[in-house]
Amino acid sequence: MSFNIVVCVKQVVDPDTPSAAFNINQDKLSVIPADGIPPVVNGYCENAVEAALKIKDSIPDTTVTVVSIGTNFIMDVIKKPLSMGADKMILVDDPNLESLDPFSTTKILSSVISKISDYDLIICGQHASDWDNAHVPMGISETLNIPCLNSAREIDIKPNEITIKSSIPDGYITLKSSLPALVTVSNEIGEPRYPTLKGIMQASRKTPEKLSFENIDIKISDLSPKMTLVDLALPVSNSKCEILEGEDDADSGKLLALKLRESKII
Amino acid sequence: MSDILVLAETENNYLHSTAGELIAAGRKLADELGNQVCAVITDDVDESSFKNLIHLGADKVYVISHAELSKGNIDAFVSYLEQICIQINPNVILTSRTYMGRNIGARIAYRLESGVAQDCIDVEIDKNSSRVIATRPVYGGNAVARFTFNQDDPQVIILRVKSFDSNEIDTTRNGSIEKLNISIDNDAIKLKLIETVKEESEGIRLEDAPVIVAGGRGLGGPEPFKQLEELANIFDGAVGASRAVCDAGWMDHAFQIGLTGKQVAPDVYITVGISGASQHMAGCLGSRNIIAINNDADANIFKDASYGVVGDWEKVLPSFTEAVRDLLKS
Ligand SMILES: Cc1cc2nc3c(=O)[nH]c(=O)nc-3n(C[C@H](O)[C@H](O)[C@H](O)COP(=O)(O)OP(=O)(O)OC[C@H]3O[C@@H](n4cnc5c(N)ncnc54)[C@H](O)[C@@H]3O)c2cc1C
């Protein structure tokens, strides 16, 4: 059987950017990327690519198509899923995407996906580390009217059927649905594989297909944003830390305990 | 008049602790808007839970029942909420950022084509427009954003766990309890819940522990966690971990604290070898006291901690533990 997987990925500001290098443009209510720190593929999206490639490892005739929408794509960054082993990539690159809300993103992604041939499975990361919305995948499943399975740590594919295990606070649940379906993955699905030299070579020969809003029948005027960002600020910390310093580290540890007792914290 | 709908989750036959938090947030909005807080709850709980919702601040309780709801089937919850919305037309829906609540909240918003704000730490009403303004950390907590909802209702708010305190129980409060007769389209239930497996861990649950000792990558491996456990045991507390630790396989993911792990708010949160990345702090900033042991004086954790030691945990921790043991004995 041939099996078609679509993986949605997002290019984001590197979440390991030190907070000291983190800055905000107050006029545009946006984050200023730190100098010299390139963007990355969102971590959970890499997990999603890994999940797709694991399925490809076990079902021979699997095609993995990666879709990303955004703007200012850096090819060396966004093509990483191809170097990991994905077959194809589709990019919707439009400057309007910078300021669109997640509801518009959902509409556009759903529109691209429905144009891609027959998909059996859509895999998304459960969370993007920039706006932390964590709801676009659910939106896609609602828009396409397909089952939505959340935060998988294990995925099992049988003909026309998907079963996942998903962590809950004190254990896990097992969920099943028919295909096509959408599944989101958590980091527990497994570390994204490193691109091999062969993978990097192959990816360098692949050109992502670029689509514009026109190609997918989207007009900006059709998109109705549901939310408006009114304010963006750096968080304020009002805590002042008292550092206990003894003669040596062991002594400092003891002083810390005494201090906590004295302050009735313990 | 449109009301505020709160999805009260249940646990082991009683209200989940987040139910009171949601009602408190709902009350804040309802008192400004002059409308009512209506709690939706499944019927598979002790009867006292319905009254409890009212004592916590709800004006109305809607009881729903279906075998799939009792199993925790998200599809069933979304379909029920959809039908309730058609009947009562709420202008706000509040759910909790639990496994259930964060998925149900997002799905219902998209089904009804309205807006949703994930992981909110505060909500208020804009005086001019009477629309909700939601405050939420973004970029893993490196920034804080405020969003307003445009014209569509219901405005769906997914509230960060422990960001609101429940109101005091007021047994003099009155309200109505109504069993809703709702039929849903069974084809809309696409998920099958095969099983729910409890992975029992020994000792106290992280979420309930008064003291948590959390370890990070700075510990260098799994073995040192035994020492953290020793310290935690003195307080009848629990051990937690950063994501770096769980991803490395030193501790199970069930111990992860943070934005994508558990949210805790103990009296004392002691971190050892944790840098204090904003995504980690998102899970523990509600703690009353944060204590840090880290060998890097510039580590972020010292921005949020109230007391700390800059030093090597291998030397600091044993003497700290010993001193704590002595102090608590006397
Ligand atoms: C979307 C997203 C979600 C995330 N969710 C979470 C989450 O839920 N929870 C979470 O924890 N993280 C989360 N993270 C990861 C987070 O950004 C950090 O990478 C992680 O918290 C770092 O863990 P750490 O502090 O243990 O390790 P590090 O950042 O490597 O810090 C180790 C610390 O140990 C100190 N140290 C080293 N040796 C010693 C010694 N001998 N004695 C004392 N101190 C020492 C170092 O100075 C350093 O400060 C998330 C990231 C993303 C992008």
Side-chain angles (χ1 to χ4, degrees):
Chain A
M1 84 177 180
S2 78
F3 196 73
N4 287 320
I5 305 178
V6 176
V7 184
C8 302
V9 309
K10 186 176 190 188
Q11 176 181 299
V12 296
V13 166
D14 188 341
D16 288 333
T17 304
S19 4
F22 197 88
N23 273 309
I24 286 168
N25 179 330
Q26 280 300 344
D27 295 333
K28 285 167 104 185
L29 294 181
S30 64
V31 166
I32 306 169
D35 263 351
I37 305 181
V40 295
V41 173
N42 177 50
Y44 288 115
C45 297
E46 289 193 359
N47 292 120
V49 174
E50 175 61 29
L53 295 175
K54 279 201 177 106
I55 296 172
K56 189 177 160 81
D57 291 340
S58 63
I59 305 175
D61 196 8
T62 295
T63 306
V64 177
T65 307
V66 176
V67 179
S68 186
I69 72 174
T71 191
N72 298 327
F73 283 119
I74 298 191
M75 281 307 137
D76 280 349
V77 172
I78 199 69
K79 279 176 79 178
K80 183 169 177 194
L82 290 175
S83 347
M84 287 169 70
D87 300 289
K88 290 187 255 180
M89 175 168 269
I90 298 174
L91 299 178
V92 182
D93 184 346
D94 193 296
N96 286 302
L97 284 165
E98 197 164 24
S99 54
L100 283 185
D101 77 338
F103 303 87
S104 310
T105 308
T106 299
K107 215 166 182 177
I108 299 165
L109 268 174
S110 305
S111 182
V112 178
I113 294 169
S114 14
K115 283 234 163 5
I116 293 181
S117 76
D118 300 328
Y119 57 86
D120 297 288
L121 184 63
I122 302 169
I123 311 184
C124 300
Q126 65 172 3
H127 185 134
S129 61
D130 49 0
W131 289 96
D132 296 320
N133 280 310
H135 54 68
V136 166
M138 285 79 134
I140 297 173
S141 79
E142 285 291 330
T143 311
L144 300 175
N145 195 18
I146 55 173
C148 181
L149 303 97
N150 290 110
S151 305
R153 69 181 201 195
E154 256 177 73
I155 300 176
D156 182 40
I157 303 289
K158 294 261 158 55
N160 217 14
E161 188 181 279
I162 173 170
T163 308
I164 69 155
K165 274 193 183 138
S166 176
S167 292
I168 53 171
D170 47 3
Y172 67 88
I173 53 174
T174 309
L175 284 173
K176 191 180 190 161
S177 84
S178 60
L179 292 172
L182 178 143
V183 62
T184 69
V185 299
S186 78
N187 47 311
E188 291 179 73
I189 199 88
E191 287 273 316
R193 63 194 63 187
Y194 285 104
T196 58
L197 201 55
K198 189 168 151 231
I200 295 170
M201 297 290 287
Q202 277 170 350
S204 69
R205 285 194 292 269
K206 287 180 186 161
T207 315
E209 180 185 351
K210 290 213 172 143
L211 296 178
S212 66
F213 281 9
E214 271 160 30
N215 301 136
I216 49 172
D217 303 325
I218 292 272
K219 283 200 215 67
I220 289 288
S221 54
D222 293 346
L223 302 167
S224 59
K226 307 291 182 195
M227 314 280 295
T228 306
L229 176 63
V230 289
D231 188 34
L232 188 66
L234 296 175
V236 278
S237 154
N238 37 21
S239 164
K240 259 220 289 310
C241 188
E242 183 176 334
I243 302 285
L244 283 304
E245 211 179 329
E247 281 164 18
D248 55 21
D249 283 355
D251 193 36
S252 307
K254 193 171 155 199
L255 289 184
L256 178 63
L258 288 167
K259 187 74 194 182
L260 297 185
R261 185 66 173 172
E262 184 192 307
S263 326
K264 300 201 163 54
I265 290 173
I266 59 172
Chain B
M1 184 78 205
S2 303
D3 289 328
I4 292 183
L5 204 65
V6 161
L7 177 65
E9 289 183 48
T10 63
E11 184 178 46
N12 304 328
N13 281 332
Y14 289 96
L15 292 183
H16 191 271
S17 58
T18 53
E21 301 169 11
L22 290 176
I23 292 174
R27 272 263 61 94
K28 179 175 175 191
L29 300 177
D31 291 346
E32 272 187 64
L33 290 170
N35 59 6
Q36 295 192 308
V37 176
C38 308
V40 177
I41 185 169
T42 52
D43 73 340
D44 48 16
V45 282
D46 191 90
E47 291 264 335
S48 63
S49 303
F50 307 147
K51 270 244 149 59
N52 276 341
L53 289 169
I54 292 170
H55 295 162
L56 283 164
D59 301 300
K60 276 188 196 164
V61 175
Y62 294 130
V63 185
I64 51 176
S65 91
H66 191 286
E68 289 298 319
L69 294 172
S70 302
K71 281 195 215 161
N73 191 322
I74 286 171
D75 283 351
F77 276 95
V78 178
S79 288
Y80 267 89
L81 280 184
E82 182 186 6
Q83 292 306 318
I84 294 173
C85 287
I86 291 171
Q87 284 187 17
I88 72 161
N89 225 344
N91 55 7
V92 176
I93 298 181
L94 283 153
T95 70
S96 226
R97 190 173 168 270
T98 55
Y99 182 79
M100 298 284 289
R102 67 172 198 261
N103 291 316
I104 296 168
R107 295 264 307 274
I108 190 66
Y110 281 95
R111 185 157 307 175
L112 300 171
E113 301 198 11
S114 67
V116 53
Q118 176 78 264
D119 199 18
C120 301
I121 54 170
D122 199 9
V123 287
E124 65 203 292
I125 298 293
D126 181 73
K127 293 276 184 301
N128 296 319
S129 64
S130 293
R131 304 297 290 171
V132 175
I133 303 180
T135 303
R136 43 182 307 261
V138 294
Y139 285 83
N142 277 312
V144 182
R146 291 179 358 121
F147 289 89
T148 52
F149 288 78
N150 301 348
Q151 65 284 354
D152 311 275
D153 278 344
Q155 308 163 73
V156 182
I157 292 154
I158 305 175
L159 206 64
R160 177 175 287 193
V161 175
K162 298 198 156 105
S163 56
F164 271 77
D165 288 328
S166 297
N167 294 337
E168 295 283 329
I169 293 272
D170 175 0
T171 51
T172 63
R173 277 187 59 88
N174 289 314
S176 65
I177 298 169
E178 192 183 331
K179 276 209 153 82
L180 287 188
N181 254 328
I182 287 178
S183 56
I184 56 162
D185 176 7
N186 279 327
D187 288 344
I189 302 188
K190 301 186 176 103
L191 294 176
K192 276 195 224 56
L193 233 105
I194 308 296
E195 59 175 350
T196 302
V197 178
K198 294 242 185 269
E199 290 171 317
E200 291 291 335
S201 57
E202 298 162 34
I204 187 163
R205 288 202 316 182
L206 264 175
E207 295 91 324
D208 303 331
V211 176
I212 292 175
V213 186
R217 177 149 45 201
L219 293 179
E223 295 80 24
F225 279 86
K226 291 205 192 75
Q227 293 182 47
L228 300 199
E229 210 177 306
E230 207 182 301
L231 175 60
N233 284 342
I234 304 176
F235 300 108
D236 292 324
V239 171
S242 71
R243 177 166 152 189
V245 163
C246 302
D247 281 352
W250 301 347
M251 292 287 275
D252 190 84
H253 280 281
F255 292 90
Q256 181 180 320
I257 288 167
L259 183 65
T260 47
K262 292 187 169 144
Q263 277 91 55
V264 298
D267 290 336
V268 192
Y269 189 75
I270 304 171
T271 69
V272 189
I274 286 183
S275 63
S278 53
Q279 294 91 350
H280 180 82
M281 300 318 288
C284 62
L285 273 181
S287 310
R288 194 161 296 161
N289 297 288
I290 297 177
I291 317 296
I293 300 175
N294 190 307
N295 65 358
D296 173 8
D298 293 329
N300 249 323
I301 189 71
F302 292 115
K303 291 209 184 86
D304 294 310
S306 42
Y307 296 96
V309 169
V310 179
D312 182 359
W313 71 268
E314 285 195 60
K315 309 233 168 55
V316 181
L317 188 64
S319 68
F320 176 67
T321 305
E322 196 188 302
V324 167
R325 190 179 281 123
D326 288 348
L327 287 167
L328 293 190
K329 237 190 301 183
S330 52

